[in-house]
Amino acid sequence: MGATPALREPATPPPGGVAVRARRRRVVPGFGLSLGYTLAWLGLIVLIPLAGVFLHSAQLGWDGLWRIWTEPRVLAALKVSFGTALAAAAFNAVMGTLVAWVFVRYRFRGRRLFDAMIDLPFALPTAVAGIALTALYGPNGWIGRWLEAIGIKVAYTPLGITVALVFIGLPFVVRVVQPVLAEVERELEEAAATLGAGRWQTVRRVVLPAAWPAVLAGFALAFARGVGEYGSVIFIAGNIPQVSEIAPLLITIKLEEFDYAGATAIAVAMLLLSFALLLLINTLQARLVRGERRGGG
């Protein structure tokens, strides 16, 4: 009798077999595990501390919160913090985009050195930056003495706070916009020039539509950093109540007075205002991205 042939596996795998094996071979965790780790880490680092701030301020009740929020000194501090942060972020959105454009489109001697200097505010201690800016723009500083001679006072005013926030916020805009400008297709610019478009028309209709979402992202990052900035601002601000006093300093004063509920109440006001503004900026950015995709399609 002949040998019995060995049983062979079917040539075609059962339905779903490939998918099952593919799932088993994945090295990176799946969606469920990744989402679980993400939510747990986000909760430990962000949500739980923020919840603690809200719970501690709840001891005052709504009337107590409203009383602290409407104090003239608190309102003035919030106005200075948010006003200077918005002004500095808007200035950086324009100048940072221009700096990124120069680094992307031009080659010149010392370019890499200047490109590396953009990141100095990231590495420099903020207190050192504040002392250096005060020495420059103070009444006896190298720049401040000339500005005061023409009636412009920088140090110990909201203008000085804005200068400090411009210094620390510029890298956020440059580093976000720079890679986007590098990816803009130059063929589109050449085509626009061929069709008779001027330089400004090419920038306005070809380059800026592609860069707007990145510019808004850099603006949001610079604004968020500026609102809570303390070290580089505290020296040049002068800390004059209702003139150049920032909200983070007022929170520190409340903590030194052991008024923890009052400090958290001001912190809650800053959180709510910052969240509302950042949500507005992100919504506008998302709409610009969707509009660009529809236009590209």
Side-chain angles (χ1 to χ4, degrees):
M1 296 178 62
T4 303
L7 296 178
R8 296 181 179 179
E9 295 182 359
T12 58
V18 176
V20 171
R21 285 199 296 271
R23 285 197 296 269
R24 290 175 181 173
R25 292 176 183 174
R26 286 179 181 173
V27 178
V28 179
F31 174 74
L33 184 59
S34 301
L35 180 62
Y37 277 119
T38 300
L39 293 179
W41 188 250
L42 182 64
L44 289 173
I45 300 299
V46 179
L47 299 181
I48 292 178
L50 292 182
V53 172
F54 280 93
L55 289 175
H56 205 90
S57 63
Q59 300 175 4
L60 296 171
W62 176 251
D63 293 336
L65 284 174
W66 186 254
R67 176 179 54 80
I68 293 177
W69 290 348
T70 54
E71 289 180 2
R73 186 177 181 181
V74 174
L75 289 175
L78 291 174
K79 181 180 178 181
V80 169
S81 291
F82 282 89
T84 54
L86 283 172
F91 182 83
N92 280 329
V94 177
M95 299 307 298
T97 302
L98 179 61
V99 171
W101 174 268
V102 171
F103 285 154
V104 169
R105 293 305 176 92
Y106 299 100
R107 297 293 181 267
F108 52 91
R109 184 174 299 177
R111 172 180 170 274
R112 292 186 178 180
L113 176 62
F114 289 116
D115 194 12
M117 290 175 61
I118 293 294
D119 295 327
L120 281 179
F122 288 145
L124 190 67
T126 54
V128 176
I131 294 172
L133 291 173
T134 305
L136 284 175
Y137 292 98
N140 298 322
W142 295 345
I143 302 176
R145 67 177 66 181
W146 298 105
L147 291 177
E148 288 206 357
I150 59 176
I152 300 176
K153 185 177 181 180
V154 178
Y156 317 130
T157 66
L159 179 58
I161 299 174
T162 304
V163 170
L165 297 184
V166 167
F167 173 78
I168 64 157
L170 181 63
F172 290 95
V173 179
V174 174
R175 293 310 180 213
V176 172
V177 176
Q178 191 171 356
V180 175
L181 291 178
E183 293 178 359
V184 174
E185 298 180 5
R186 300 195 180 187
E187 290 79 4
L188 298 177
E189 302 173 28
E190 295 173 358
T194 303
L195 294 174
R199 293 182 178 180
W200 172 241
Q201 287 180 319
T202 303
V203 171
R204 183 167 56 90
R205 299 196 175 189
V206 177
V207 178
L208 286 183
W212 266 124
V215 173
L216 281 177
F219 173 85
L221 291 174
F223 167 74
R225 172 66 187 274
V227 167
E229 180 61 23
Y230 182 84
S232 62
V233 173
I234 197 68
F235 295 100
I236 199 171
N239 312 318
I240 305 173
Q242 301 189 34
V243 176
S244 60
E245 186 178 50
I246 57 175
L249 174 63
L250 191 54
I251 292 175
T252 303
I253 293 174
K254 294 284 186 182
L255 291 175
E256 292 176 350
E257 296 173 350
F258 301 101
D259 184 7
Y260 299 118
T264 53
I266 301 174
V268 166
M270 294 187 67
L271 285 173
L272 294 176
L273 290 172
S274 299
F275 180 78
L277 289 172
L278 291 176
L279 180 62
L280 178 63
I281 295 171
N282 290 334
T283 302
L284 179 59
Q285 181 187 8
R287 289 184 178 180
L288 287 174
V289 172
R290 287 196 298 268
E292 181 184 353
R293 288 177 180 174
R294 285 196 298 265

